[in-house]
Amino acid sequence: MGQCVTKCKNPSSTLGSKNGERESGSKSHSKRSAVHKDDHGSACGKSSGDILVNGTKKTDAAVESSQPPTFSGDTKRDCVSSAEESSLQRIGELFRRYKDEREDAILEEGMERFCNDLCVDPTEFKVLVLAWKFQAATMCKFTRKEFFEGCKAINADSIDGICARFPSLLNEAKQEDKFKDLYRFTFQFGLDSEEGQRSLHREIAIALWKLVFTQNKPPILDQWLHFLIENPSGIKGISRDTWNMFLNFTQVIGPDLSNYSEDEAWPSLFDTFVEWEMERRKKEEETKCITSLDTEGLCAEEQT
């Protein structure tokens, strides 16, 4: 970071009964005529007014017309493809707004303008999280591929869209497995890949430790950073192994350091730190006792 960092039923009928008397011819004829009319009406499905020209019943037609239109798979794919293309165009426009004039990447100056538009400081934890989601290889730089893939990963294609994603990204970074990935990314992110660095400069490591632990600061962090600032071991850089093991250290060793053992496979720098910190605490307690005795003596003299 350095300086910067989305369905009628037809009624059935019967003709007389099995044991009924025979009726007169005219009466039977009248009945047959009536039944004939009834059968005709039933076969037509009540009245002709209920049938459309194409033979479809009005009720069926009404149900069909009320159903929403369906789209074929090709149509759906076309809609999705069109939306993706539009989003990629917006990402491209956003990238061109900040890219360097000579190099096809967003460099330090463009990164500062990008952060200003996002209303964040380049050294904020949010920017580190964004760089993690973009899988940026270098501080203060987003290549075209990193920027496009990163925006797609967080489903954002505008400044407002990226800003709206910050809360969920910060929550994601609180998850243990996600934070471990972010933590390990931070070491690589701090290296100067152009110089082929394999370890972090001590000052850069201190700054990155402060930054990466913004949301979940371990109790021992301040003492560890104090140790590195005082630098009694004269170390110049922090190796990847030391960086990765410190996260384990904060999760396993208590703040009083009482369960630390040199016999375990910790980096030698941790042995030095624990020894130095325990000695510092001892001196601090001695100073408090002396101050307390002096105060008590002074009080006794004043009473006499």
Side-chain angles (χ1 to χ4, degrees):
M1 321 263 311
Q3 299 297 320
C4 23
V5 225
T6 198
K7 296 200 166 208
C8 131
K9 106 182 152 177
N10 296 321
S12 61
S13 61
T14 57
L15 302 180
S17 61
K18 290 183 179 180
N19 299 320
E21 297 178 355
R22 297 182 61 90
E23 300 180 5
S24 61
S26 60
K27 195 171 183 179
S28 297
H29 175 76
S30 176
K31 272 192 174 185
R32 284 196 298 272
S33 177
V35 170
H36 177 73
K37 289 180 180 180
D38 289 343
D39 289 345
H40 178 74
S42 299
C44 293
K46 294 186 179 179
S47 64
S48 60
D50 290 338
I51 304 300
L52 300 180
V53 174
N54 63 1
T56 304
K57 297 173 185 178
K58 283 185 175 181
T59 53
D60 291 347
V63 171
E64 291 176 359
S65 64
S66 66
Q67 295 176 347
T70 58
F71 298 96
S72 66
D74 290 340
T75 304
K76 288 182 179 179
R77 282 192 293 270
D78 290 344
C79 290
V80 172
S81 178
S82 177
E84 289 178 349
E85 288 181 5
S86 297
S87 181
L88 286 175
Q89 288 178 357
R90 288 190 291 272
I91 295 174
E93 292 170 359
L94 193 63
F95 177 78
R96 287 190 293 272
R97 188 187 305 174
Y98 305 107
K99 74 177 290 294
D100 186 70
E101 294 180 357
R102 298 181 179 179
E103 189 173 345
D104 194 29
I106 300 174
L107 303 183
E108 187 172 343
E109 183 181 345
M111 192 69 73
E112 290 182 358
R113 290 187 287 108
F114 180 51
C115 290
N116 286 336
D117 290 348
L118 289 172
C119 298
V120 296
D121 187 281
T123 60
E124 272 190 64
F125 180 65
K126 288 180 180 178
V127 181
L128 175 63
V129 173
L130 192 64
W132 167 54
K133 298 304 291 185
F134 281 25
Q135 287 297 291
T138 307
M139 285 185 179
C140 300
K141 179 179 180 179
F142 285 149
T143 64
R144 176 181 290 271
K145 181 179 180 180
E146 290 170 349
F147 193 83
F148 271 72
E149 294 299 321
C151 285
K152 288 192 292 182
I154 66 174
N155 194 26
D157 54 23
S158 66
I159 290 294
D160 289 343
I162 296 174
C163 287
R165 293 286 290 140
F166 275 138
S168 61
L169 294 178
L170 295 179
N171 284 332
E172 181 181 348
K174 292 179 181 179
Q175 301 172 24
E176 185 176 351
D177 58 332
K178 297 295 184 180
F179 178 74
K180 183 177 181 179
D181 188 63
L182 169 62
Y183 181 83
R184 296 198 169 193
F185 162 84
T186 303
F187 179 87
Q188 185 65 40
F189 184 60
L191 296 177
D192 190 333
S193 57
E194 294 180 357
E195 292 186 3
Q197 284 184 342
R198 300 182 65 180
S199 62
L200 288 174
H201 289 306
R202 182 170 55 91
E203 295 81 3
I204 296 296
I206 291 172
L208 290 178
W209 261 315
K210 289 180 179 179
L211 185 63
V212 76
F213 282 118
T214 295
Q215 293 192 134
N216 51 345
K217 180 180 175 181
I220 200 66
L221 181 63
D222 286 340
Q223 289 83 359
W224 170 249
L225 297 181
H226 184 203
F227 165 74
L228 292 177
I229 292 171
E230 292 292 322
N231 195 22
S233 300
I235 61 170
K236 295 181 179 180
I238 300 296
S239 69
R240 187 186 299 273
D241 181 58
T242 298
W243 176 274
N244 290 341
M245 290 297 287
F246 182 70
L247 180 60
N248 298 341
F249 182 90
T250 64
Q251 296 169 337
V252 175
I253 306 302
D256 62 355
L257 304 176
S258 61
N259 62 333
Y260 182 83
S261 174
E262 294 182 359
D263 297 331
E264 296 181 8
W266 295 110
S268 60
L269 184 61
F270 291 5
D271 296 341
T272 305
F273 162 65
V274 172
E275 183 180 350
W276 179 87
E277 177 60 16
M278 296 302 286
E279 184 65 25
R280 185 195 67 80
R281 293 181 185 185
K282 181 179 178 181
K283 290 180 179 179
E284 189 177 68
E285 286 298 319
E286 290 176 350
T287 300
K288 286 181 179 180
C289 289
I290 293 173
T291 302
S292 176
L293 289 173
D294 289 345
T295 302
E296 289 176 0
L298 182 61
C299 289
E301 290 178 2
E302 289 178 349
Q303 288 176 357
T304 58

